Coordinates of all heavy atoms in Angstrom, one line a residue:
A1 N 0.8 -1.2 0.0 CA 0.0 0.0 0.0 C 0.9 1.3 0.0 O 0.6 2.2 -0.7 CB -1.0 0.0 1.2
A2 N 1.9 1.2 0.7 CA 2.9 2.3 0.8 C 3.5 2.5 -0.6 O 3.8 3.7 -1.0 CB 4.0 2.2 1.9
A3 N 3.9 1.4 -1.3 CA 4.5 1.5 -2.6 C 3.6 2.2 -3.5 O 4.0 2.9 -4.5 CB 5.0 0.1 -3.0
V4 N 2.4 1.9 -3.4 CA 1.3 2.4 -4.4 C 1.4 4.0 -4.3 O 1.4 4.7 -5.3 CB -0.2 2.0 -4.1 CG1 -1.1 2.8 -4.9 CG2 -0.2 0.5 -4.5
A5 N 1.4 4.5 -3.0 CA 1.6 5.9 -2.8 C 2.8 6.5 -3.3 O 2.9 7.7 -3.8 CB 1.4 6.1 -1.3
A6 N 3.9 5.8 -3.2 CA 5.2 6.2 -3.7 C 5.1 6.4 -5.1 O 5.6 7.4 -5.7 CB 6.3 5.3 -3.2
L7 N 4.7 5.4 -5.8 CA 4.7 5.5 -7.3 C 3.6 6.4 -7.9 O 3.8 6.9 -9.0 CB 4.5 4.0 -7.9 CG 5.6 3.0 -7.6 CD1 5.3 1.7 -8.0 CD2 7.0 3.5 -8.1
E8 N 2.5 6.5 -7.2 CA 1.4 7.4 -7.8 C 1.4 8.8 -7.3 O 0.8 9.7 -7.8 CB 0.0 6.7 -7.4 CG -0.2 5.3 -8.2 CD -1.7 4.8 -7.9 OE1 -2.2 5.3 -6.9 OE2 -2.0 3.9 -8.7
G9 N 2.1 9.0 -6.1 CA 2.1 10.2 -5.5 C 3.1 11.3 -6.2 O 3.7 11.0 -7.2
A10 N 3.1 12.6 -5.6 CA 4.0 13.6 -6.2 C 5.5 13.1 -6.1 O 5.9 12.5 -5.1 CB 3.8 14.8 -5.3
Q11 N 6.2 13.4 -7.2 CA 7.6 13.0 -7.3 C 8.5 14.2 -7.3 O 9.7 14.1 -7.4 CB 7.8 12.3 -8.7 CG 6.8 11.2 -9.0 CD 7.1 10.0 -8.2 OE1 8.1 9.4 -8.1 NE2 5.9 9.5 -7.5
D12 N 7.9 15.4 -7.0 CA 8.8 16.6 -7.0 C 9.8 16.7 -5.9 O 10.8 17.3 -6.0 CB 7.9 17.9 -6.9 CG 6.9 17.8 -5.8 OD1 6.8 16.9 -5.0 OD2 6.2 18.8 -5.5
F13 N 9.7 15.9 -4.9 CA 10.7 15.9 -3.7 C 11.9 15.3 -4.2 O 13.0 15.5 -3.7 CB 10.2 15.1 -2.6 CG 10.0 13.6 -2.8 CD1 11.0 12.8 -2.5 CD2 8.8 13.1 -3.3 CE1 10.8 11.5 -2.7 CE2 8.6 11.7 -3.5 CZ 9.7 10.9 -3.2
L14 N 11.9 14.4 -5.3 CA 13.2 13.8 -5.7 C 14.2 14.8 -6.2 O 15.4 14.6 -6.0 CB 12.7 12.9 -6.9 CG 12.0 11.6 -6.6 CD1 11.5 10.9 -7.8 CD2 12.8 10.7 -5.7
G15 N 13.8 16.0 -6.7 CA 14.8 16.9 -7.3 C 15.6 17.5 -6.1 O 16.8 17.6 -6.2
E16 N 15.0 17.7 -5.0 CA 15.7 18.2 -3.8 C 16.7 17.2 -3.3 O 17.8 17.5 -2.9 CB 14.7 18.7 -2.7 CG 15.4 19.2 -1.4 CD 14.4 19.6 -0.4 OE1 13.2 19.7 -0.7 OE2 14.8 19.8 0.8
R17 N 16.2 16.0 -3.2 CA 17.0 14.9 -2.7 C 18.3 14.6 -3.6 O 19.4 14.5 -3.1 CB 16.3 13.6 -2.5 CG 15.2 13.8 -1.5 CD 14.5 12.5 -1.2 NE 13.6 12.7 0.0 CZ 13.2 11.7 0.7 NH1 13.5 10.5 0.5 NH2 12.4 12.0 1.8
I18 N 18.1 14.7 -4.9 CA 19.2 14.5 -5.9 C 20.1 15.7 -5.7 O 21.4 15.5 -5.8 CB 18.6 14.4 -7.3 CG1 17.8 13.1 -7.4 CG2 19.8 14.5 -8.3 CD1 17.0 13.0 -8.7
A19 N 19.6 16.9 -5.5 CA 20.5 18.0 -5.3 C 21.4 17.8 -4.1 O 22.7 18.2 -4.0 CB 19.7 19.3 -5.2
Q20 N 20.9 17.3 -3.0 CA 21.6 17.0 -1.8 C 22.7 15.9 -2.1 O 23.8 16.1 -1.7 CB 20.8 16.5 -0.6 CG 19.8 17.4 -0.1 CD 18.9 16.9 1.0 OE1 18.7 15.6 1.1 NE2 18.3 17.7 1.9
F21 N 22.4 14.9 -2.8 CA 23.4 13.8 -3.2 C 24.4 14.5 -4.0 O 25.6 14.2 -3.9 CB 22.7 12.7 -3.9 CG 21.9 11.8 -3.0 CD1 20.7 11.3 -3.3 CD2 22.5 11.3 -1.8 CE1 19.9 10.5 -2.6 CE2 21.8 10.4 -1.0 CZ 20.6 10.0 -1.4
R22 N 24.0 15.3 -5.0 CA 25.0 15.9 -5.9 C 25.9 16.8 -5.1 O 27.3 16.7 -5.4 CB 24.3 16.8 -6.9 CG 25.3 17.4 -7.9 CD 24.6 18.5 -8.9 NE 23.7 17.7 -9.8 CZ 22.4 17.8 -9.7 NH1 21.8 18.5 -8.8 NH2 21.7 17.2 -10.6
A23 N 25.5 17.5 -4.1 CA 26.5 18.4 -3.2 C 27.5 17.5 -2.5 O 28.6 17.8 -2.4 CB 25.7 19.2 -2.4
R24 N 27.0 16.4 -2.0 CA 27.8 15.4 -1.3 C 28.8 14.8 -2.2 O 30.0 14.7 -1.8 CB 27.0 14.5 -0.6 CG 26.0 14.9 0.4 CD 25.1 13.8 0.9 NE 24.0 14.4 1.8 CZ 23.1 13.6 2.3 NH1 23.0 12.3 2.0 NH2 22.2 14.1 3.1
R25 N 28.4 14.4 -3.4 CA 29.3 13.8 -4.3 C 30.4 14.8 -4.8 O 31.5 14.5 -4.8 CB 28.4 13.4 -5.6 CG 29.3 12.9 -6.8 CD 28.6 13.0 -8.1 NE 28.4 14.3 -8.6 CZ 28.2 14.6 -9.9 NH1 28.1 13.7 -10.8 NH2 27.9 15.9 -10.2
N26 N 30.0 16.0 -4.9 CA 30.9 17.0 -5.4 C 32.0 17.4 -4.3 O 33.0 17.9 -4.6 CB 30.2 18.4 -5.9 CG 29.5 18.1 -7.1 OD1 29.7 17.1 -7.8 ND2 28.6 19.0 -7.5
Y27 N 31.6 17.1 -3.1 CA 32.6 17.3 -2.0 C 33.5 16.0 -1.9 O 34.7 16.1 -1.8 CB 31.9 17.5 -0.6 CG 32.8 17.2 0.6 CD1 33.7 18.3 0.8 CD2 32.8 16.1 1.3 CE1 34.7 18.0 1.8 CE2 33.6 15.9 2.4 CZ 34.6 16.9 2.6 OH 35.5 16.6 3.6
I28 N 32.9 14.9 -1.7 CA 33.6 13.7 -1.3 C 34.5 13.1 -2.4 O 35.7 12.7 -2.1 CB 32.6 12.5 -0.8 CG1 33.4 11.4 -0.1 CG2 31.8 11.9 -2.0 CD1 33.8 11.8 1.3
V29 N 34.1 13.2 -3.7 CA 35.0 12.6 -4.8 C 36.3 13.4 -4.9 O 37.4 12.8 -4.8 CB 34.2 12.6 -6.1 CG1 35.2 12.2 -7.3 CG2 33.1 11.6 -6.0
P30 N 36.3 14.7 -4.9 CA 37.6 15.4 -5.0 C 38.5 15.2 -3.7 O 39.7 15.1 -3.8 CB 37.2 16.9 -5.1 CG 35.8 16.9 -5.7 CD 35.3 15.7 -5.1
A31 N 37.8 15.0 -2.6 CA 38.5 14.8 -1.3 C 39.1 13.5 -1.3 O 40.3 13.3 -0.9 CB 37.5 14.9 -0.1
L32 N 38.5 12.4 -1.8 CA 39.1 11.1 -2.0 C 40.2 11.1 -2.9 O 41.3 10.5 -2.8 CB 38.1 10.2 -2.4 CG 37.0 9.7 -1.3 CD1 35.8 9.0 -1.9 CD2 37.7 9.0 -0.2
D33 N 40.0 11.8 -4.1 CA 41.0 11.8 -5.1 C 42.3 12.5 -4.7 O 43.3 12.3 -5.3 CB 40.4 12.6 -6.4 CG 41.2 12.3 -7.6 OD1 41.4 11.1 -8.0 OD2 41.6 13.3 -8.2
A34 N 42.2 13.4 -3.7 CA 43.3 14.1 -3.2 C 44.1 13.4 -2.2 O 45.2 13.7 -1.9 CB 42.8 15.5 -2.5
L35 N 43.6 12.2 -1.7 CA 44.4 11.4 -0.9 C 45.6 10.8 -1.5 O 45.5 10.4 -2.7 CB 43.5 10.2 -0.2 CG 42.4 10.6 0.6 CD1 41.5 9.4 1.0 CD2 42.9 11.3 1.9
D36 N 46.8 10.8 -0.9 CA 48.0 10.3 -1.4 C 47.7 8.8 -1.7 O 47.4 8.0 -0.8 CB 49.1 10.5 -0.5 CG 50.4 9.9 -1.0 OD1 50.6 10.0 -2.2 OD2 51.2 9.4 -0.2
G37 N 48.0 8.4 -3.0 CA 47.8 6.9 -3.3 C 46.4 6.5 -3.7 O 46.2 5.3 -4.0
V38 N 45.5 7.5 -3.8 CA 44.1 7.1 -4.1 C 43.7 7.9 -5.4 O 44.1 9.1 -5.6 CB 43.1 7.4 -2.9 CG1 41.7 7.3 -3.3 CG2 43.5 6.6 -1.7

């Protein structure tokens, strides 16, 4: 029943969540890449 609501309900919240993930990605990847040997 919850999955029905997820798939049929509003999807606009996904944009904000993806923006949060993008900001985290843009921080963590350069930080890892800067580690010596990584």
Side-chain angles (χ1 to χ4, degrees):
V4 171
L7 296 176
E8 292 185 343
Q11 308 291 307
D12 51 357
F13 68 92
L14 290 171
E16 180 181 346
R17 294 188 172 201
I18 292 167
Q20 290 178 343
F21 284 136
R22 181 186 292 108
R24 297 170 186 179
R25 176 199 68 159
N26 291 348
Y27 164 74
I28 195 71
V29 171
L32 289 168
D33 195 57
L35 292 175
D36 181 37
V38 174

